[in-house]
Amino acid sequence: MSTIRIKDRGEVLNLSFSELRNYHGNLALMAIAVGYRVVQAAFAELYGEEAPERSSLSVRSGHAGPGFRDAFEFTTRAVTRGVYTVDVDYPIAQYDPYRAQSYAFVISDQDGAAVEVALRQDFLPAAFYAYLKRGREGTMTAEDTAANEQLKRELCERALALPQDELLLVERLS
């Protein structure tokens, strides 16, 4: 898998998924994998082969979870810099049948370039949302927890392996 190239004060960094996984841990494996791919897709659309400057980027996330947050923070430092916002009511990619939560993300730069990257609707199975709901309700059994952890691992691997166009929808906004 290719790295994410980004400039930090003019120095080009090559950030790998394994580094992101070490940064985040194992809590939200699907989300960090999808988030990593979202950043790759956004950078390719906005900058081609060029590495953008971290300090110029901002992120609007439709998902409030820690995996997506950590993927964006690790790559862009948007959270630390105060340019990361969460909008669970973002109208694109509202797939969770139990709550408002978007699987769409907008990455923009200070020059006005912006791209929306959304997870394809068929990527996450119904069981994924059911486990999230049970987790919020505190009704997960030991079997549910084990099956959910296995599902997250499988979705992580799948997100990293799929061709971009089978995982994500990318739309240039400006």
Side-chain angles (χ1 to χ4, degrees), residues 18-45:
S18 64
E19 292 169 320
L20 169 58
R21 186 163 180 190
N22 287 340
Y23 173 79
H24 173 77
N26 294 317
L27 176 65
L29 292 176
M30 178 283 298
I32 62 171
V34 171
Y36 187 84
R37 295 294 306 277
V38 164
V39 173
Q40 284 182 320
F43 286 7
E45 178 65 28

Side-chain angles (χ1 to χ4, degrees), residues 75-130:
T75 55
T76 69
R77 293 291 187 242
V79 177
T80 298
R81 295 182 299 106
V83 292
Y84 176 80
T85 58
V86 174
D87 179 4
V88 297
D89 294 313
Y90 191 75
I92 305 300
Q94 287 282 342
Y95 306 139
D96 190 326
Y98 306 109
R99 65 179 173 166
Q101 190 85 272
S102 171
Y103 288 85
F105 314 91
V106 176
I107 296 178
S108 54
D109 69 23
Q110 62 193 15
D111 295 328
V115 64
E116 175 187 87
V117 182
L119 184 64
R120 287 193 172 273
Q121 186 168 3
D122 61 352
F123 180 73
L124 294 173
F128 181 82
Y129 303 111

Side-chain angles (χ1 to χ4, degrees), residues 62-73:
H63 199 286
F68 289 109
R69 180 202 60 225
D70 283 357
F72 297 127
E73 172 64 4

